[in-house]
Amino acid sequence: MAKAPSRAKVAILISGSGTNMAALLYAAKHPECPYEVVLVGSNDPAAAGLQLAKAEGIATFAHPHKGMERAAHDAVMDEAIRAADAEYVALAGYMRILTPEFVAQWEGRMLNIHPSLLPKYKGLHTHERALAAGDSHGGASVHLVTAELDDGPILGQMSVAIIPGDSADTLAARVKFAEHQLYPTILSDYVSRYDNPDWLLAKVEALALALPETHARTSHGSPGFRVGSEKTGKYFAYFADQHHGSDAIGVLVKTGGMDELETLCEQQPDMYWKPAFYGASGWVGLRLNRPGVDWDHVREWLERSWRAVAPKSVTKLMDVAAEF
Ligand code: GRF
């Protein structure tokens, strides 16, 4: 069955001209763009970008912060973002320091673009500082927002050569070109990470290899994970990327038997599937290319599957460790 195309819903917050907002918005007009812009919000009703967004048929929202407590203003913005059904927030020149509470609400789902090659030059006047330092390049970074200013995990960067005679303004203008390429690309990759087999495999691998006495070994062309020695180890998980005509990307783990397997697939068809060949011996597919995967749940399945095949001597060690 073909999957219905679903686009991630993004709210963009701006304070000024909104050229990055425009870049995000026009990228979203491409039919294959994995996100759509559901709201452009601002703390400044006169922000030039709002007018453009409106003219492009995007819902807008503005609420001045003057005279308001920071937390109260964040709460107003948060409410508008939620009312627009946004799943992600893209800050694009939003000149506000955010409260930790607001940041926490959007942990892992709020991105920002910053005009420097982070971790260099957090804060303001980035171009002046790059020039004063005699750097060969300036640039831009897209990062996840954490409570610390311009400090969250970097999702992507683009460098921009500094040219003799550059002023902060000429450099800033050129860095903007880079920003306008970078932001839509990184946002697209980020919202589609659940459909990216490399990203999913890296997550599974980290969880599987965190279990004691495990190693990775390819099986019939697919990544697999084994417990025990290299010589006599047994598989407890396989990574499956759209095998045998299925559109599922996920991990195969061992159930208690055919009854459990059939029940899981019947009752939660979005989450489980019966894989070709392996299904016949009680392995169930746990689908990962879907939104809202609970990675603790994936961890629990991997551990259970690991326990089912691990030598007693190894599981015993784990049980003893768990008692402390
Ligand atoms: C950009 O330089 C961005 O990196 C920074 O604020 C500026 C916003 O510019 N966070 P614009 O409003 O998108 O033109």
Side-chain angles (χ1 to χ4, degrees):
M1 200 176 63
K3 244 194 326 152
S6 72
R7 307 174 87 199
K9 296 180 167 58
V10 176
I12 305 176
L13 298 186
I14 61 169
S15 294
S17 61
T19 67
N20 276 289
M21 177 276 295
L24 290 170
L25 190 157
Y26 290 119
K29 286 196 177 192
H30 193 286
E32 278 172 24
C33 184
Y35 68 84
E36 62 180 314
V37 181
V38 293
L39 180 76
V40 174
S42 183
N43 58 320
D44 179 2
L50 288 175
Q51 211 185 348
L52 169 67
K54 217 178 278 170
E56 289 290 355
I58 308 285
T60 59
F61 173 81
H63 197 96
H65 60 273
K66 277 220 173 91
M68 283 184 89
E69 294 275 347
R70 191 173 294 282
H73 185 260
D74 280 357
V76 170
M77 300 305 286
D78 188 61
E79 204 183 310
I81 295 166
R82 285 175 198 282
D85 256 351
E87 300 155 281
Y88 291 90
V89 178
L91 304 179
Y94 186 57
M95 301 300 285
R96 300 278 301 154
I97 291 179
L98 306 172
T99 53
E101 291 71 28
F102 182 52
V103 172
Q105 294 288 334
W106 291 94
E107 192 192 335
R109 295 181 298 145
M110 179 150 63
L111 288 71
N112 181 43
I113 186 153
H114 182 75
S116 80
L117 295 172
L118 290 170
K120 276 188 163 180
Y121 316 132
K122 297 175 181 177
L124 296 174
H125 309 299
T126 56
H127 307 301
E128 281 90 336
R129 287 151 73 196
L131 289 171
D135 291 354
S136 65
H137 288 76
S141 308
V142 173
H143 64 95
L144 287 174
V145 176
T146 54
E148 204 67 24
L149 183 70
D150 300 329
D151 193 57
I154 294 168
L155 300 176
Q157 295 186 307
M158 196 179 279
S159 65
V160 172
I162 291 177
I163 294 173
D166 255 340
S167 66
D169 284 349
T170 59
L171 179 57
R174 216 160 52 255
V175 169
K176 282 276 179 93
F177 287 124
E179 292 187 27
H180 299 166
Q181 298 298 320
L182 183 69
Y183 210 174
T185 311
I186 300 299
L187 179 60
S188 293
D189 284 354
Y190 192 67
V191 303
S192 16
R193 64 200 185 285
Y194 300 118
D195 285 322
N196 176 347
D198 294 340
W199 188 84
L200 293 171
L201 173 58
K203 294 281 281 188
V204 169
E205 192 171 55
L207 294 177
L209 297 183
L211 291 162
E213 310 243 348
T214 51
H215 58 272
R217 166 118 22 124
T218 305
S219 165
H220 300 287
S222 293
F225 302 96
R226 308 194 335 155
V227 53
S229 72
E230 285 281 349
K231 214 163 173 195
T232 62
K234 288 193 178 139
Y235 283 98
F236 66 97
Y238 300 93
F239 185 76
D241 178 8
Q242 305 180 66
H243 278 178
H244 308 289
S246 158
D247 67 358
I249 306 176
V251 61
L252 310 190
V253 285
K254 214 155 170 54
T255 62
M258 290 317 272
D259 283 351
E260 186 188 12
L261 165 61
E262 301 290 355
T263 309
L264 289 171
C265 296
E266 209 173 284
Q267 292 185 348
Q268 290 157 281
D270 291 345
M271 205 184 284
Y272 298 103
W273 87 97
K274 184 176 175 181
F277 308 115
Y278 289 89
S281 36
W283 293 83
V284 73
L286 178 55
R287 186 183 187 114
L288 300 174
N289 59 330
R290 63 192 165 86
V293 170
D294 175 352
W295 288 97
D296 282 335
H297 181 236
V298 179
R299 189 200 319 271
E300 283 159 18
W301 260 116
L302 285 167
E303 185 179 328
R304 186 182 149 187
S305 196
W306 172 90
R307 269 181 190 283
V309 297
K312 280 264 153 354
S313 55
V314 178
T315 53
K316 230 188 255 160
L317 281 179
M318 178 107 158
D319 294 338
V320 172
E323 277 176 30
F324 286 97

